[in-house]
């Protein structure tokens, strides 16, 4: 497996993991989505909005969209989980499409990242993708932990990459078109 193959699988994992997290979130009782909790961000709602805001930022960098830091700074948080899930799914599919369009040599190509206070910093596409996946996993883990104190059990999120796990995710993978 090449690094590009791995990054493409990680993009698919992002879509799959987010779909699993959101299925749990959409089953929460009224008030649990926005309830204050102990974590880096103060609620499931705030954490999921942060994931999407950062995905918008890095997708703009990767796609060289020209929006820059405003993609994050001007992000309007969602109050309702169904709309947030729909927007996250769009971002996840953009990331998959971006990865599918890459060639191995693109991973070392640099794109400009707008860091406002620190200026325009060229970063390698492969490094940005690795960062996006780590960022999303990190914060999804926080949502996972916060779900433990709700009426909904947190979902299993590590059954994606191994052939052994195919039987556990086959229907979801087909449903998501992966």
């Amino acid at each position: 497996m090449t690094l590009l193959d791995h990054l493409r699988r990680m993009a698919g994992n992002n879509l799959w993991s987010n779909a699993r997290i959101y299925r749990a979130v959409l089953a929460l009782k009224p008030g649990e989505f926005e309830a204050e909790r102990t974590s880096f961000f103060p609620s499931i709602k705030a954490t999921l909005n942060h994931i999407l805001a950062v995905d918008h930022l890095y997708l703009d960098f990767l796609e060289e969209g020209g929006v820059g830091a405003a993609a994050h700074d001007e992000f309007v948080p969602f109050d309702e989980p169904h709309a947030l899930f729909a927007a996250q799914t769009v971002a996840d599919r953009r990331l998959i499409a971006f990865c599918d369009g890459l060639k191995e040599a693109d991973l070392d190509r640099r794109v400009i990242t707008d860091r406002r206070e620190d200026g325009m910093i060229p970063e390698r596409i492969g490094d940005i993708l690795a960062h996006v996946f780590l960022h999303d996993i990190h914060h999804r883990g926080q949502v996972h932990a916060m779900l433990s104190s709700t009426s909904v059990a947190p979902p299993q999120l590590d059954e994606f990459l191994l052939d052994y796990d195919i039987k556990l995710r086959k229907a979801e993978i087909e449903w998501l078109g992966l």
Side-chain angles (χ1 to χ4, degrees):
M1 175 189 309
T2 67
L3 177 57
L4 182 55
D5 293 332
H6 175 69
L7 292 171
R8 287 176 175 151
R9 291 186 77 194
M10 290 302 293
N13 180 72
N14 238 32
L15 174 67
W16 176 81
S17 294
N18 284 332
R20 277 198 161 189
I21 279 286
Y22 274 97
R23 265 203 322 275
V25 167
L26 294 175
L28 292 171
K29 291 180 181 175
E32 289 183 314
F33 177 61
E34 54 279 317
E36 189 168 322
R37 302 186 188 282
T38 301
S39 193
F40 192 82
F41 291 95
S43 67
I44 292 170
K45 173 185 165 182
T47 305
L48 291 174
N49 271 290
H50 171 73
I51 291 170
L52 181 57
V54 171
D55 283 356
H56 282 186
L57 174 69
Y58 284 104
L59 281 164
D60 181 71
F61 293 161
L62 290 165
E63 296 169 342
E64 299 178 272
V67 177
H72 176 274
D73 298 345
E74 296 174 10
F75 176 81
V76 177
F78 289 81
D79 290 324
E80 197 277 316
H82 287 88
L84 181 55
F85 178 30
Q88 183 64 62
T89 300
V90 169
D92 291 342
R93 291 200 181 279
R94 276 176 63 198
L95 185 58
I96 289 170
F98 178 81
C99 289
D100 285 348
L102 290 174
K103 306 270 188 278
E104 195 76 35
D106 291 325
L107 298 179
D108 286 326
R109 184 168 57 85
R110 290 182 181 265
V111 294
I112 300 300
T113 63
D114 177 359
R115 298 304 184 164
R116 290 261 196 246
E117 302 85 28
D118 296 319
M120 307 300 227
I121 299 173
E123 298 278 6
R124 282 187 283 288
I125 287 174
D127 292 339
I128 292 172
L129 288 170
H131 175 76
V132 167
F133 299 133
L134 286 174
H135 175 268
D136 289 359
I137 290 167
H138 168 71
H139 288 296
R140 261 195 314 269
Q142 293 170 344
V143 171
H144 192 271
M146 287 187 274
L147 283 169
S148 296
S149 64
T150 71
S151 62
V152 177
Q156 189 72 28
L157 295 177
D158 64 348
E159 298 170 339
F160 186 79
L161 296 173
L162 299 178
D163 290 341
Y164 174 78
D165 296 326
I166 289 172
K167 66 184 179 290
L168 303 172
R169 61 182 162 84
K170 186 176 183 339
E172 292 171 313
I173 297 301
E174 290 172 358
W175 176 72
L176 292 168
L178 292 174

